[in-house]
Amino acid sequence: MVLFSAVTVVSIFSVPAQAASWSSSLSGVLPGFESRRWTEPSSSTGTTIKFTGCSGSNSVVNVTLVKNVVALPDTYYTRAAFTQCFAGSSSTSTGNWADHGAGDFYFVVNDGGGASVSVKSLTVSY
């Protein structure tokens, strides 16, 4: 009985791990580019977007997490300005968005304008 109680207490206080991810790259995408969609089935995790090896005529790429909302305007979350990924081919910029509920999501690149950008590798974890 004591063992069961200890396991129960640990489970209650455990922080949920990010359960899924996908990876890709970007090549010369224009402002307003929308990523592929993904489904976050649980409202208990946040979203992390990581860009490695950015290049383009600017030294910043703005990344906005968006929740797809059926029959209503999509919900745009805070925009993250990625700059560190321009420092070299293995340099990384990371954006973290806290829990925003379950649903279908995507990100937009430079939705406020800007230049085209390429990204050697990107990972979305949720």
Side-chain angles (χ1 to χ4, degrees), residues 44-105:
S44 63
T45 62
T47 302
T48 299
I49 300 173
K50 180 169 68 171
F51 282 14
T52 302
C54 299
S55 61
S57 59
N58 287 346
S59 59
V60 62
V61 58
N62 293 306
V63 179
T64 307
L65 179 69
V66 184
K67 186 174 190 176
N68 188 55
V69 182
V70 177
L72 293 172
D74 290 348
T75 302
Y76 283 68
Y77 293 96
T78 304
R79 178 181 298 150
F82 287 3
T83 57
Q84 183 59 38
C85 61
F86 286 90
S89 64
S90 62
S91 297
T92 298
S93 292
T94 303
N96 295 296
W97 287 263
D99 175 26
H100 34 263
D104 295 326
F105 294 88

Side-chain angles (χ1 to χ4, degrees), residues 7-44:
V7 171
T8 303
V9 170
V10 170
S11 296
I12 291 171
F13 295 107
S14 295
V15 176
Q18 297 202 320
S21 66
W22 59 269
S23 297
S24 188
S25 62
L26 302 176
S27 180
V29 298
L30 298 173
F33 170 83
E34 296 180 358
S35 74
R36 63 167 269 201
R37 269 60 171 166
W38 69 90
T39 300
E40 296 187 23
S42 170
S43 64
S44 63

